Coordinates of all heavy atoms in Angstrom, one line a residue:
M25 N 7.0 32.4 -41.2 CA 5.7 32.7 -40.8 C 5.4 34.2 -40.9 O 6.3 34.9 -40.6 CB 5.4 32.2 -39.4 CG 4.6 31.0 -39.2 SD 4.4 30.6 -37.5 CE 3.0 29.7 -37.6
N26 N 4.3 34.5 -41.2 CA 3.9 35.9 -41.3 C 3.7 36.4 -39.9 O 3.3 35.7 -38.9 CB 2.5 35.9 -42.0 CG 2.1 37.3 -42.4 OD1 2.8 38.3 -42.0 ND2 1.1 37.5 -43.1
T27 N 4.1 37.7 -39.6 CA 4.0 38.3 -38.3 C 2.6 38.4 -37.8 O 2.3 38.3 -36.6 CB 4.7 39.7 -38.3 OG1 4.0 40.5 -39.2 CG2 6.1 39.6 -38.6
N28 N 1.6 38.6 -38.7 CA 0.2 38.6 -38.3 C -0.2 37.3 -37.8 O -1.0 37.2 -36.8 CB -0.6 39.1 -39.5 CG -2.0 39.6 -39.1 OD1 -2.2 39.9 -38.0 ND2 -2.8 39.7 -40.1
I29 N 0.2 36.2 -38.4 CA -0.2 34.8 -38.0 C 0.5 34.5 -36.6 O -0.1 34.0 -35.7 CB 0.2 33.8 -39.1 CG1 -0.6 34.0 -40.3 CG2 0.0 32.4 -38.5 CD1 -0.2 33.2 -41.5
K30 N 1.8 35.0 -36.5 CA 2.5 34.7 -35.2 C 1.8 35.5 -34.1 O 1.6 34.9 -33.0 CB 3.9 35.3 -35.3 CG 4.9 34.4 -35.9 CD 6.3 35.0 -35.8 CE 7.3 34.2 -36.5 NZ 8.6 34.8 -36.4
S31 N 1.4 36.7 -34.3 CA 0.7 37.5 -33.3 C -0.6 36.8 -32.9 O -1.0 36.7 -31.7 CB 0.4 38.9 -33.7 OG 1.6 39.6 -34.0
S32 N -1.4 36.3 -33.8 CA -2.6 35.6 -33.6 C -2.4 34.4 -32.8 O -3.2 34.0 -31.9 CB -3.4 35.4 -34.9 OG -3.7 36.5 -35.6
F33 N -1.4 33.6 -33.2 CA -1.1 32.4 -32.5 C -0.7 32.6 -31.0 O -1.2 32.0 -30.1 CB 0.1 31.7 -33.2 CG 0.5 30.3 -32.5 CD1 -0.3 29.3 -32.5 CD2 1.7 30.3 -31.8 CE1 0.0 28.1 -31.9 CE2 2.1 29.2 -31.2 CZ 1.2 28.0 -31.2
I34 N 0.1 33.7 -30.8 CA 0.5 34.0 -29.4 C -0.6 34.5 -28.6 O -0.8 34.1 -27.4 CB 1.7 35.1 -29.5 CG1 2.9 34.5 -30.0 CG2 1.9 35.6 -28.0 CD1 4.0 35.5 -30.3
L35 N -1.5 35.3 -29.2 CA -2.7 35.8 -28.5 C -3.6 34.6 -28.1 O -4.1 34.5 -27.0 CB -3.4 36.8 -29.3 CG -4.7 37.4 -28.7 CD1 -4.3 38.2 -27.4 CD2 -5.3 38.4 -29.7
G36 N -3.9 33.7 -29.1 CA -4.8 32.6 -28.8 C -4.2 31.7 -27.8 O -4.9 31.2 -26.9
A37 N -2.9 31.4 -27.8 CA -2.3 30.5 -26.9 C -2.3 31.2 -25.5 O -2.5 30.5 -24.5 CB -0.8 30.2 -27.3
S38 N -2.1 32.4 -25.4 CA -2.1 33.1 -24.1 C -3.6 33.1 -23.5 O -3.7 32.9 -22.3 CB -1.8 34.6 -24.3 OG -0.5 34.7 -24.8
I39 N -4.6 33.2 -24.3 CA -6.0 33.2 -23.8 C -6.3 31.7 -23.3 O -6.8 31.6 -22.2 CB -7.0 33.6 -24.9 CG1 -6.8 35.1 -25.1 CG2 -8.4 33.2 -24.5 CD1 -7.6 35.6 -26.3
I40 N -5.9 30.8 -24.0 CA -6.1 29.3 -23.6 C -5.4 29.0 -22.4 O -5.9 28.4 -21.4 CB -5.7 28.4 -24.8 CG1 -6.7 28.5 -25.9 CG2 -5.8 26.9 -24.3 CD1 -6.4 27.8 -27.2
I41 N -4.1 29.4 -22.2 CA -3.3 29.2 -21.0 C -3.9 29.9 -19.9 O -3.9 29.4 -18.7 CB -1.8 29.5 -21.3 CG1 -1.2 28.5 -22.3 CG2 -1.0 29.5 -20.0 CD1 0.2 28.9 -22.8
G42 N -4.4 31.1 -20.1 CA -5.0 31.9 -19.0 C -6.2 31.2 -18.4 O -6.4 31.2 -17.2
F43 N -7.1 30.7 -19.3 CA -8.3 30.0 -18.8 C -7.9 28.7 -18.1 O -8.6 28.4 -17.1 CB -9.2 29.7 -20.0 CG -10.1 30.9 -20.4 CD1 -10.0 31.5 -21.6 CD2 -11.1 31.3 -19.5 CE1 -10.8 32.6 -21.9 CE2 -11.9 32.4 -19.8 CZ -11.7 33.0 -21.0
I44 N -6.9 28.1 -18.6 CA -6.5 26.8 -17.9 C -6.0 27.2 -16.5 O -6.3 26.5 -15.5 CB -5.4 26.1 -18.7 CG1 -6.1 25.5 -20.0 CG2 -4.8 24.9 -17.9 CD1 -5.0 24.9 -21.0
L45 N -5.1 28.2 -16.4 CA -4.6 28.6 -15.0 C -5.8 29.1 -14.1 O -5.8 28.7 -13.0 CB -3.6 29.7 -15.2 CG -2.2 29.3 -15.8 CD1 -1.3 30.4 -16.0 CD2 -1.6 28.2 -14.9
L46 N -6.7 29.8 -14.7 CA -7.9 30.2 -13.9 C -8.7 29.0 -13.4 O -9.0 29.0 -12.2 CB -8.8 31.1 -14.8 CG -10.0 31.7 -14.0 CD1 -9.6 32.6 -12.9 CD2 -10.9 32.4 -15.0
G47 N -8.9 28.1 -14.2 CA -9.6 26.9 -13.8 C -8.9 26.1 -12.7 O -9.5 25.6 -11.7
L48 N -7.5 26.0 -12.9 CA -6.8 25.3 -11.8 C -6.8 26.0 -10.5 O -6.9 25.4 -9.4 CB -5.3 25.1 -12.3 CG -5.2 24.1 -13.5 CD1 -3.7 24.1 -14.0 CD2 -5.5 22.7 -13.0
M49 N -6.7 27.3 -10.6 CA -6.7 28.1 -9.3 C -8.0 28.0 -8.6 O -8.1 27.9 -7.4 CB -6.3 29.6 -9.6 CG -5.0 29.8 -10.2 SD -3.7 29.2 -9.1 CE -3.6 30.6 -8.0
Q50 N -9.1 28.0 -9.3 CA -10.4 27.9 -8.7 C -10.6 26.5 -8.1 O -11.2 26.4 -7.1 CB -11.5 28.1 -9.7 CG -11.7 29.6 -10.1 CD -12.8 29.8 -11.1 OE1 -13.3 28.9 -11.7 NE2 -13.3 31.0 -11.2
G51 N -10.0 25.5 -8.7 CA -10.1 24.1 -8.2 C -9.3 24.0 -6.9 O -9.7 23.3 -6.0
L52 N -8.2 24.7 -6.9 CA -7.3 24.6 -5.7 C -7.8 25.3 -4.5 O -7.7 24.8 -3.4 CB -5.9 25.1 -6.0 CG -5.0 24.3 -7.0 CD1 -3.7 25.0 -7.3 CD2 -4.7 22.9 -6.3
F53 N -8.5 26.4 -4.7 CA -8.9 27.2 -3.6 C -10.4 27.1 -3.2 O -11.0 27.7 -2.4 CB -8.6 28.7 -3.8 CG -7.2 29.0 -3.8 CD1 -6.5 29.4 -5.0 CD2 -6.4 28.9 -2.7 CE1 -5.2 29.7 -5.1 CE2 -5.0 29.1 -2.7 CZ -4.4 29.5 -3.9
R54 N -11.0 26.1 -3.9 CA -12.5 25.9 -3.7 C -12.6 25.1 -2.4 O -11.8 24.2 -2.1 CB -13.1 25.1 -4.8 CG -14.6 24.9 -4.7 CD -15.1 24.1 -5.9 NE -14.3 22.8 -5.9 CZ -14.7 21.8 -6.5 NH1 -15.9 21.7 -7.2 NH2 -14.0 20.7 -6.6
E55 N -13.6 25.4 -1.6 CA -13.9 24.6 -0.4 C -14.4 23.2 -0.8 O -15.1 23.1 -1.8 CB -14.9 25.3 0.5 CG -14.4 26.6 1.1 CD -15.4 27.3 2.0 OE1 -16.3 26.6 2.4 OE2 -15.3 28.4 2.2
E56 N -14.1 22.2 0.0 CA -14.6 20.9 -0.2 C -16.1 20.8 -0.2 O -16.7 20.2 -1.0 CB -13.9 19.9 0.7 CG -12.5 19.7 0.5 CD -12.2 19.1 -0.9 OE1 -12.9 18.2 -1.3 OE2 -11.2 19.5 -1.5
E57 N -16.7 21.3 0.9 CA -18.1 21.3 1.1 C -18.7 22.7 1.2 O -18.1 23.4 2.0 CB -18.5 20.5 2.3 CG -18.2 19.0 2.2 CD -18.7 18.3 3.4 OE1 -19.6 18.7 4.1 OE2 -18.1 17.2 3.7
T58 N -19.7 23.0 0.5 CA -20.3 24.3 0.6 C -21.6 24.1 1.5 O -22.4 23.4 1.2 CB -20.7 24.8 -0.8 OG1 -19.5 24.9 -1.6 CG2 -21.3 26.2 -0.6
V59 N -21.6 24.9 2.6 CA -22.7 24.8 3.5 C -23.6 26.0 3.2 O -23.1 27.2 3.3 CB -22.2 24.8 4.9 CG1 -23.4 24.8 5.9 CG2 -21.3 23.6 5.2
I60 N -24.8 25.8 2.9 CA -25.8 26.8 2.6 C -26.7 26.9 3.9 O -27.4 25.9 4.2 CB -26.6 26.6 1.4 CG1 -25.7 26.5 0.2 CG2 -27.7 27.7 1.2 CD1 -26.3 26.1 -1.1
T61 N -26.6 28.0 4.5 CA -27.5 28.2 5.7 C -28.7 29.0 5.3 O -28.7 29.9 4.5 CB -26.8 29.0 6.9 OG1 -26.3 30.2 6.4 CG2 -25.6 28.1 7.3
E62 N -29.8 28.6 5.9 CA -31.1 29.3 5.6 C -31.6 30.0 6.8 O -31.6 29.4 7.9 CB -32.2 28.3 5.2 CG -33.5 28.9 4.8 CD -34.4 27.8 4.3 OE1 -34.0 26.9 3.6 OE2 -35.6 27.9 4.7
K63 N -31.8 31.3 6.6 CA -32.3 32.1 7.8 C -33.7 31.8 8.0 O -34.6 32.0 7.1 CB -32.0 33.6 7.5 CG -32.3 34.4 8.7 CD -32.0 35.9 8.4 CE -32.3 36.7 9.6 NZ -32.0 38.1 9.4
V64 N -34.0 31.4 9.1 CA -35.5 31.1 9.5 C -36.0 32.2 10.4 O -35.4 32.5 11.4 CB -35.5 29.7 10.2 CG1 -37.0 29.4 10.6 CG2 -35.0 28.6 9.3
S65 N -37.1 32.7 10.0 CA -37.7 33.8 10.8 C -38.8 33.2 11.7 O -39.7 32.5 11.1 CB -38.2 34.9 9.9 OG -38.9 35.8 10.6
H66 N -38.8 33.5 12.9 CA -39.8 33.1 13.8 C -40.7 34.3 14.2 O -41.4 34.2 15.2 CB -39.3 32.4 15.1 CG -38.5 31.1 14.8 ND1 -39.2 30.0 14.4 CD2 -37.2 30.8 14.9 CE1 -38.3 29.0 14.2 NE2 -37.1 29.5 14.5
E67 N -40.7 35.3 13.4 CA -41.4 36.5 13.8 C -42.9 36.2 13.7 O -43.4 35.6 12.6 CB -41.1 37.6 12.8 CG -41.8 38.9 13.1 CD -41.3 40.0 12.2 OE1 -40.1 40.0 11.7 OE2 -42.1 40.9 12.0
G68 N -43.6 36.5 14.7 CA -45.1 36.2 14.7 C -45.4 34.8 15.1 O -46.6 34.4 15.1
R69 N -44.4 34.0 15.5 CA -44.7 32.6 15.8 C -45.3 32.5 17.2 O -46.2 31.7 17.5 CB -43.4 31.7 15.7 CG -43.6 30.4 16.2 CD -42.4 29.5 16.0 NE -42.6 28.2 16.6 CZ -41.7 27.2 16.6 NH1 -40.5 27.5 16.0 NH2 -41.9 26.1 17.2
Y70 N -44.7 33.3 18.1 CA -45.2 33.3 19.5 C -46.1 34.4 19.9 O -45.9 35.5 19.4 CB -43.9 33.3 20.4 CG -43.0 32.1 20.2 CD1 -41.9 32.3 19.4 CD2 -43.3 30.9 20.7 CE1 -41.0 31.2 19.2 CE2 -42.4 29.8 20.5 CZ -41.3 30.0 19.7 OH -40.5 28.9 19.5
E71 N -47.0 34.1 20.8 CA -48.0 35.1 21.2 C -48.0 35.2 22.7 O -48.1 34.1 23.4 CB -49.4 34.8 20.7 CG -50.4 35.8 21.0 CD -51.8 35.5 20.5 OE1 -51.9 34.6 19.6 OE2 -52.7 36.1 21.0
F72 N -47.8 36.4 23.2 CA -47.8 36.6 24.6 C -49.3 36.8 25.1 O -50.0 37.7 24.5 CB -47.0 37.8 25.0 CG -46.9 38.1 26.5 CD1 -46.2 37.4 27.3 CD2 -47.7 39.2 27.0 CE1 -46.1 37.7 28.7 CE2 -47.7 39.5 28.3 CZ -46.9 38.7 29.2
I73 N -49.8 36.0 26.0 CA -51.1 36.2 26.4 C -51.2 36.7 27.8 O -50.6 36.1 28.7 CB -51.9 34.8 26.4 CG1 -51.8 34.2 25.0 CG2 -53.3 34.9 26.9 CD1 -52.2 32.8 24.8
R74 N -51.9 37.8 28.0 CA -52.1 38.3 29.3 C -53.0 37.4 30.2 O -54.1 37.1 29.7 CB -52.6 39.7 29.2 CG -52.8 40.4 30.6 CD -53.1 41.8 30.4 NE -52.3 42.5 31.4 CZ -51.8 43.7 31.4 NH1 -52.1 44.4 30.3 NH2 -51.1 44.3 32.3
A75 N -52.5 37.0 31.3 CA -53.3 36.2 32.2 C -54.4 36.9 32.9 O -54.3 38.2 33.0 CB -52.4 35.5 33.2
A76 N -55.3 36.2 33.5 CA -56.4 36.8 34.2 C -55.9 37.5 35.6 O -56.3 38.5 36.0 CB -57.4 35.8 34.6
N77 N -54.9 36.9 36.1 CA -54.2 37.5 37.3 C -52.8 37.9 36.9 O -52.3 37.6 35.9 CB -54.3 36.5 38.5 CG -53.5 35.2 38.1 OD1 -52.7 35.1 37.2 ND2 -53.8 34.2 39.0
D78 N -52.2 38.6 37.8 CA -50.8 39.1 37.6 C -49.7 38.1 38.0 O -48.5 38.5 37.9 CB -50.6 40.5 38.3 CG -51.5 41.6 37.7 OD1 -51.9 41.4 36.5 OD2 -51.8 42.5 38.4
N79 N -50.0 37.0 38.3 CA -49.0 36.0 38.8 C -48.6 35.0 37.7 O -47.7 34.2 37.9 CB -49.5 35.2 40.0 CG -49.7 36.1 41.2 OD1 -49.0 37.1 41.3 ND2 -50.6 35.7 42.1
N80 N -49.2 35.0 36.5 CA -48.9 34.1 35.4 C -48.4 34.8 34.2 O -48.8 35.9 33.8 CB -50.1 33.2 35.1 CG -50.5 32.3 36.1 OD1 -49.7 31.6 36.7 ND2 -51.8 32.3 36.5
V81 N -47.5 34.1 33.5 CA -47.0 34.6 32.2 C -47.4 33.4 31.2 O -47.0 32.3 31.5 CB -45.5 34.9 32.1 CG1 -45.1 35.2 30.7 CG2 -45.2 36.0 33.1
I82 N -48.0 33.6 30.2 CA -48.5 32.6 29.2 C -47.9 33.0 27.8 O -48.1 34.1 27.4 CB -50.0 32.5 29.2 CG1 -50.5 32.1 30.6 CG2 -50.4 31.5 28.1 CD1 -52.0 32.2 30.7
I83 N -47.4 32.0 27.2 CA -46.9 32.1 25.8 C -47.4 31.0 25.0 O -47.4 29.8 25.4 CB -45.3 32.1 25.8 CG1 -44.8 33.3 26.5 CG2 -44.8 32.1 24.3 CD1 -43.3 33.4 26.5
F84 N -48.0 31.4 23.8 CA -48.6 30.4 22.9 C -47.8 30.3 21.7 O -47.5 31.3 21.0 CB -50.0 30.9 22.6 CG -50.8 29.9 21.6 CD1 -51.1 28.7 22.0 CD2 -51.1 30.4 20.3 CE1 -51.8 27.9 21.1 CE2 -51.7 29.6 19.5 CZ -52.1 28.3 19.8
D85 N -47.4 29.1 21.3 CA -46.6 28.9 20.1 C -47.6 28.5 19.0 O -48.3 27.5 18.9 CB -45.7 27.6 20.3 CG -44.8 27.4 19.1 OD1 -44.9 28.0 18.0 OD2 -43.8 26.6 19.3
K86 N -47.8 29.5 18.0 CA -48.7 29.3 17.0 C -48.4 28.2 16.0 O -49.3 27.7 15.3 CB -48.9 30.7 16.2 CG -49.4 31.7 17.0 CD -49.4 33.1 16.2 CE -49.9 34.3 17.0 NZ -49.8 35.5 16.2
E87 N -47.1 27.9 15.8 CA -46.7 26.9 14.9 C -47.0 25.5 15.3 O -47.5 24.6 14.6 CB -45.2 27.0 14.6 CG -44.7 26.2 13.4 CD -43.3 26.4 13.1 OE1 -43.0 27.6 12.8 OE2 -42.5 25.5 13.2
T88 N -46.8 25.2 16.6 CA -47.0 23.8 17.2 C -48.2 23.7 18.0 O -48.6 22.6 18.3 CB -45.8 23.4 18.1 OG1 -45.7 24.3 19.2 CG2 -44.5 23.4 17.3
G89 N -48.8 24.9 18.4 CA -50.0 24.8 19.2 C -49.8 24.6 20.6 O -50.7 24.4 21.5
E90 N -48.5 24.7 21.0 CA -48.2 24.5 22.5 C -48.4 25.7 23.3 O -48.3 26.8 22.7 CB -46.7 24.0 22.6 CG -46.4 22.7 22.0 CD -44.9 22.3 22.1 OE1 -44.1 23.2 22.1 OE2 -44.7 21.1 22.1
Y91 N -48.7 25.5 24.5 CA -49.2 26.6 25.4 C -48.3 26.5 26.6 O -48.2 25.4 27.3 CB -50.6 26.3 25.7 CG -51.3 27.2 26.8 CD1 -51.6 28.5 26.5 CD2 -51.6 26.5 28.0 CE1 -52.3 29.2 27.5 CE2 -52.3 27.2 28.9 CZ -52.6 28.6 28.7 OH -53.3 29.3 29.7
W92 N -47.5 27.5 26.9 CA -46.5 27.5 28.1 C -47.0 28.5 29.1 O -47.3 29.7 28.8 CB -45.1 27.8 27.6 CG -44.6 26.7 26.7 CD1 -44.8 26.6 25.3 CD2 -43.9 25.5 27.0 NE1 -44.2 25.5 24.8 CE2 -43.6 24.8 25.9 CE3 -43.3 25.1 28.2 CZ2 -42.9 23.7 25.8 CZ3 -42.6 23.9 28.2 CH2 -42.4 23.2 27.0
R93 N -46.8 28.1 30.4 CA -47.3 29.0 31.5 C -46.1 29.0 32.5 O -45.5 28.0 32.8 CB -48.5 28.5 32.1 CG -48.9 29.4 33.3 CD -50.3 28.9 33.8 NE -50.3 27.4 34.1 CZ -50.2 26.9 35.3 NH1 -50.2 27.7 36.4 NH2 -50.3 25.6 35.5
K94 N -45.9 30.2 33.1 CA -44.9 30.3 34.2 C -45.5 31.2 35.3 O -46.0 32.3 35.0 CB -43.7 30.9 33.7 CG -42.6 31.0 34.7 CD -41.3 31.6 34.1 CE -40.2 31.7 35.1 NZ -39.0 32.2 34.6
F95 N -45.4 30.8 36.5 CA -45.7 31.6 37.7 C -44.7 32.6 37.9 O -43.5 32.3 37.9 CB -45.9 30.8 38.9 CG -47.2 30.0 38.9 CD1 -47.1 28.6 38.7 CD2 -48.4 30.6 39.2 CE1 -48.3 27.8 38.7 CE2 -49.6 29.8 39.2 CZ -49.5 28.4 39.0
I96 N -45.0 33.9 38.1 CA -44.0 34.9 38.3 C -44.0 35.3 39.8 O -43.1 36.1 40.2 CB -44.2 36.1 37.4 CG1 -45.6 36.7 37.5 CG2 -43.9 35.7 36.0 CD1 -45.8 38.0 36.8
S97 N -44.9 34.8 40.6 CA -44.9 35.2 42.0 C -43.8 34.4 42.7 O -43.6 33.2 42.5 CB -46.3 34.8 42.6 OG -46.3 35.1 44.0
V98 N -43.0 35.1 43.5 CA -41.9 34.4 44.2 C -42.4 33.4 45.3 O -41.8 32.4 45.4 CB -41.0 35.5 44.9 CG1 -39.9 34.9 45.6 CG2 -40.5 36.5 43.8
S99 N -43.5 33.8 45.9 CA -44.0 32.9 47.0 C -44.9 31.8 46.6 O -45.2 30.9 47.4 CB -44.7 33.8 48.1 OG -45.8 34.4 47.5
E100 N -45.3 31.7 45.4 CA -46.3 30.7 45.0 C -45.9 30.0 43.7 O -45.3 30.5 42.8 CB -47.7 31.3 44.7 CG -48.3 31.9 46.0 CD -49.6 32.6 45.7 OE1 -50.2 32.2 44.7 OE2 -50.0 33.4 46.4
G101 N -46.3 28.7 43.6 CA -46.1 27.9 42.4 C -44.7 27.6 42.0 O -43.7 28.2 42.5
P102 N -44.6 26.8 40.9 CA -43.3 26.5 40.3 C -42.7 27.8 39.6 O -43.5 28.6 39.1 CB -43.5 25.4 39.4 CG -45.0 25.6 39.0 CD -45.7 26.1 40.2
T103 N -41.4 27.9 39.6 CA -40.8 29.0 38.9 C -40.3 28.6 37.5 O -39.7 29.5 36.8 CB -39.7 29.6 39.7 OG1 -38.7 28.6 40.0 CG2 -40.2 30.2 41.1
D104 N -40.4 27.4 37.2 CA -40.0 26.9 35.9 C -41.1 26.9 34.9 O -42.3 26.9 35.3 CB -39.4 25.5 35.9 CG -38.1 25.4 36.7 OD1 -37.4 26.5 36.8 OD2 -37.9 24.4 37.4
W105 N -40.8 26.9 33.6 CA -41.9 26.8 32.5 C -42.5 25.4 32.6 O -41.8 24.5 32.7 CB -41.3 27.1 31.1 CG -41.0 28.6 31.0 CD1 -39.8 29.2 31.1 CD2 -41.9 29.6 30.6 NE1 -39.9 30.5 30.8 CE2 -41.2 30.8 30.5 CE3 -43.3 29.6 30.4 CZ2 -41.8 32.0 30.2 CZ3 -43.8 30.8 30.0 CH2 -43.1 32.0 30.0
T106 N -43.8 25.4 32.5 CA -44.5 24.1 32.4 C -45.4 24.1 31.2 O -46.0 25.1 30.9 CB -45.3 23.8 33.7 OG1 -46.2 24.9 33.9 CG2 -44.4 23.7 35.0
K107 N -45.4 22.9 30.5 CA -46.3 22.8 29.4 C -47.8 22.5 29.9 O -48.0 21.6 30.7 CB -45.9 21.7 28.5 CG -46.6 21.6 27.2 CD -46.0 20.5 26.3 CE -46.7 20.3 25.0 NZ -46.2 19.3 24.2
E108 N -48.7 23.3 29.4 CA -50.1 23.2 29.8 C -51.0 22.8 28.7 O -50.6 22.9 27.5 CB -50.6 24.5 30.4 CG -49.8 25.0 31.5 CD -50.0 24.2 32.8 OE1 -51.1 23.6 33.0 OE2 -49.0 24.2 33.7
E109 N -52.2 22.3 29.0 CA -53.1 22.0 27.9 C -53.7 23.4 27.3 O -53.9 24.3 28.1 CB -54.3 21.2 28.5 CG -53.9 19.8 28.9 CD -53.5 19.0 27.7 OE1 -54.1 19.1 26.6 OE2 -52.6 18.2 27.9
S110 N -53.8 23.4 26.1 CA -54.3 24.6 25.5 C -55.8 24.9 25.7 O -56.6 24.0 25.7 CB -54.2 24.6 23.9 OG -54.7 25.7 23.3
P111 N -56.2 26.1 26.1 CA -57.6 26.3 26.4 C -58.4 26.4 25.2 O -59.7 26.4 25.3 CB -57.5 27.7 27.1 CG -56.3 28.4 26.6 CD -55.3 27.2 26.3
V112 N -57.9 26.4 24.0 CA -58.7 26.5 22.8 C -58.9 25.2 22.1 O -59.7 25.1 21.2 CB -58.0 27.5 21.7 CG1 -58.0 28.9 22.3 CG2 -56.6 27.1 21.4
T113 N -58.2 24.1 22.6 CA -58.4 22.8 22.0 C -59.3 22.0 22.8 O -59.4 22.1 24.1 CB -57.1 22.1 21.8 OG1 -56.5 21.9 23.1 CG2 -56.1 22.8 20.9
S114 N -60.1 21.1 22.2 CA -61.0 20.3 23.0 C -60.3 19.1 23.6 O -59.4 18.6 23.0 CB -62.2 19.8 22.1 OG -61.6 19.0 21.0
S115 N -60.8 18.6 24.7 CA -60.1 17.4 25.4 C -60.6 16.2 24.7 O -61.7 16.1 24.3 CB -60.6 17.4 26.9 OG -60.2 18.6 27.5
K116 N -59.7 15.2 24.5 CA -60.0 13.9 23.9 C -60.2 12.9 24.9 O -59.6 12.8 26.0 CB -58.9 13.6 22.9 CG -58.9 14.5 21.8 CD -57.8 14.1 20.8 CE -57.8 15.0 19.6 NZ -56.9 14.7 18.6

């Protein structure tokens, strides 16, 4: 065999073996399930509404239309968040 043909054969075989080994290594170290997480931004979703008096805190969820109110006075009303009817929607 000619030395030029031997060198070409060795180079071609090395390239093919290298790609086979690379494929096997990627298959071995690949994760079974790939989880893609999507970052969800809630910026601008909630609106803080200043109440008529200083004893209430009101938050309006623009996405769902829910309206939440909390009494902040220690001596009056519930101290937990309560879901309220929205003042901008009509009663049915």
Side-chain angles (χ1 to χ4, degrees):
M25 255 183 155
N26 190 356
T27 57
N28 198 14
I29 295 174
K30 279 185 181 179
S31 298
S32 297
F33 178 72
I34 291 172
L35 181 62
S38 298
I39 291 172
I40 292 172
I41 290 172
F43 277 114
I44 290 172
L45 289 175
L46 180 65
L48 290 174
M49 295 301 278
Q50 285 181 343
L52 289 175
F53 294 112
R54 183 181 57 159
E55 293 182 20
E56 289 298 319
E57 292 183 25
T58 303
V59 178
I60 299 173
T61 58
E62 182 178 320
K63 186 177 180 180
V64 178
S65 175
H66 294 294
E67 186 175 330
R69 176 178 174 178
Y70 299 99
E71 182 179 344
F72 179 79
I73 301 171
R74 180 170 222 152
N77 58 18
D78 291 334
N79 293 334
N80 292 312
V81 175
I82 300 170
I83 295 180
F84 179 66
D85 186 348
K86 294 177 185 177
E87 188 174 301
T88 62
E90 294 177 335
Y91 170 75
W92 295 85
R93 177 175 53 103
K94 181 177 182 180
F95 287 103
I96 57 172
S97 177
V98 179
S99 61
E100 297 179 19
T103 57
D104 294 331
W105 285 100
T106 57
K107 186 176 178 182
E108 303 288 332
E109 292 295 322
S110 175
V112 294
T113 59
S114 61
S115 300
K116 292 183 181 180

